[in-house]
Amino acid sequence: MSTESANAEYQVRLDRDRCEGIFACLVRDDRFVEAGDGLATIEGTDESDDDTLTATFADDRFEDARTAARACPVDAIEVREVADE
Ligand code: SF4
């Protein structure tokens, strides 16, 4: 709909503690991949804190990430724009 944030920086967070390996996210955004333990992980993860992975992007796939987040039945994915100074 709106194109104003097409290339704004955004963060994708995955709470692996919540993830149940249902993989609804994988088919909606190919940055989500299956890890060796049967749960999802994010390609390009730049930070991991306990079970939470964070990856930062600035591309036109913000909506893909949001679609994956909405599809996750256990709400393990959070997508948010990073405030730009
Ligand atoms: S859709 Fe949610 S529960 Fe399923 S693999 Fe992705 S993050 Fe995990």
Side-chain angles (χ1 to χ4, degrees):
M1 220 154 52
S2 164
T3 56
E4 70 186 29
S5 60
N7 290 318
E9 199 173 29
Y10 61 97
Q11 278 187 340
V12 181
R13 294 178 134 199
L14 170 60
D15 183 347
R16 301 188 86 243
D17 207 32
R18 284 191 184 188
C19 175
E20 293 183 356
I22 298 156
F23 301 135
C25 55
L26 271 61
V27 296
R28 291 169 171 87
D29 186 332
D30 61 13
R31 287 170 290 186
F32 293 98
V33 293
E34 181 177 359
D37 60 3
L39 301 179
T41 187
I42 313 173
E43 268 183 1
T45 295
D46 51 31
E47 205 182 305
S48 89
D49 177 14
D50 291 328
D51 288 321
T52 303
L53 308 180
T54 306
T56 306
F57 302 94
D59 56 25
D60 59 359
R61 295 191 293 171
F62 179 75
E63 279 305 322
D64 290 352
R66 295 227 315 168
T67 301
R70 279 196 296 268
C72 177
V74 295
D75 242 2
I77 301 168
E78 184 192 348
V79 181
R80 63 177 186 184
E81 287 188 69
V82 178
D84 209 10
E85 298 274 315

